[in-house]
Amino acid sequence: MIDIAGNILDIKSKLPSNVTLVAVSKTKPVSEILKAYDSGQRIFGENRVQELLAKRDLLPNDIEWHLIGHLQTNKAKYIVPFVSMIESVDSLKLLKTVNSEAAKISRTVRCLLQIHIASEETKFGFSPEELISILDSGEINDLQYVKVCGLMGMATYTSDTVRVRSEFRYLSDCYSLIKKRYFDADPLFSDISMGMSGDYTIAVEEGSTMVRLGSIIFGERK
Ligand SMILES: *Cc1c(COP(=O)(O)O)cnc(C)c1O
């Protein structure tokens, strides 16, 4: 039997106090999410909109939901009313859509900009150059109903820890540069979401402020 509550307490006791734990509950049933909830965990991450909506209906409403997977623009409207953070914003078009949906209900949605740092081609995200040219254009400043809180990235899925570390360090460097150049006077731009079950200790050493952990809490997914 997997001790979900025990795993959470153990991980939290070892994480630095400035690092937020997002419990990634994708594919896991509501009964298991409740075990994590009962241990005090309130921030949960899901990667699919349908699954997130279904679970949200069945779970306590003080849960802070983070969307961590690719979001199609036509689905933004379903989560904008309640989502605590969209960590996986990977296009200006999506950011604009989230903004206009949020404007309709006068809500501000916190977002992270996802940067592509892995060598796999399948992973979504901006290239740093692309993101810098968007930031230079000033278009993001016009979006009043999104709050850009930082960057998110996923390292290559590999046992090569030297490589993983260098990808995280690269994301950290991108964060520092972007913070300095575009968000220097903005205390809310403060997050680097990086680190999953297999690599979060390295991510934390490289400056992560938010780790997204699934299997190490809930057990392997089928
Ligand atoms: C599934 C997922 C995670 C968690 O993965 P684990 O290896 O189970 O910790 C983290 N981030 C994203 C974006 C994911 O899709």
Side-chain angles (χ1 to χ4, degrees):
M1 265 291 278
I2 291 160
D3 179 6
I4 293 171
N7 291 344
I8 289 202
L9 296 177
D10 183 51
I11 292 162
K12 274 193 180 156
S13 73
K14 291 174 190 153
L15 281 178
S17 59
N18 68 314
V19 178
T20 301
L21 172 60
V22 179
V24 175
S25 50
K26 64 189 186 194
T27 78
K28 298 297 175 183
V30 161
S31 57
E32 292 182 18
I33 299 175
L34 275 174
K35 288 181 190 162
Y37 180 90
D38 288 339
S39 81
Q41 181 66 22
R42 290 294 178 272
I43 306 176
F44 290 86
E46 288 281 340
N47 65 339
R48 296 176 60 223
V49 170
Q50 272 333 100
E51 191 176 339
L52 170 51
L53 295 174
K55 286 176 176 172
R56 175 179 183 257
D57 274 348
L58 301 169
L59 284 159
N61 59 20
D62 63 341
I63 287 182
E64 298 170 38
W65 293 103
H66 285 208
L67 188 80
I68 61 170
H70 176 65
L71 176 60
Q72 290 172 265
T73 51
N74 63 343
K75 291 191 179 157
K77 59 178 178 288
Y78 300 118
I79 62 165
V80 158
F82 69 87
V83 77
S84 168
M85 182 179 267
I86 301 174
E87 295 198 24
S88 44
V89 171
D90 55 9
S91 71
L92 182 57
K93 180 175 170 232
L94 176 60
L95 197 64
K96 285 179 173 173
T97 304
V98 171
N99 183 69
S100 59
E101 291 299 330
K104 289 179 190 169
I105 54 171
S106 298
R107 180 171 197 258
T108 301
V109 178
R110 298 190 305 147
C111 293
L112 301 181
L113 304 173
Q114 183 174 355
I115 303 239
H116 182 107
I117 54 170
S119 57
E120 289 113 327
E121 292 194 356
T122 52
K123 284 179 181 153
F124 289 99
F126 296 97
S127 70
E129 298 75 22
E130 190 186 359
L131 183 56
I132 282 171
S133 86
I134 290 168
L135 290 165
D136 277 338
S137 78
E139 281 193 85
I140 288 183
N141 305 330
D142 301 335
L143 307 177
Q144 286 186 53
Y145 294 93
V146 291
K147 179 65 231 157
V148 175
C149 295
L151 305 180
M152 183 273 241
M154 288 165 87
T156 304
Y157 187 71
T158 171
S159 57
D160 179 353
T161 57
V162 173
R163 172 179 212 150
V164 168
R165 185 179 296 280
S166 80
E167 290 174 358
F168 286 146
R169 189 164 296 176
Y170 183 63
L171 183 59
S172 236
D173 290 346
C174 287
Y175 170 85
S176 304
L177 182 146
I178 288 171
K179 169 83 180 165
K180 186 157 185 272
R181 223 190 258 181
Y182 307 97
F183 296 93
D184 211 17
D186 182 355
L188 296 179
F189 187 93
S190 57
D191 275 314
I192 314 178
S193 175
M194 60 184 190
M196 303 172 34
S197 293
D199 57 22
Y200 77 98
T201 51
I202 301 174
V204 168
E205 286 166 6
E206 296 301 330
S208 173
T209 68
M210 190 174 277
V211 292
R212 308 175 310 271
L213 306 185
S215 48
I216 200 173
I217 294 172
F218 295 103
E220 292 299 329
R221 289 176 298 275
K222 294 201 185 68

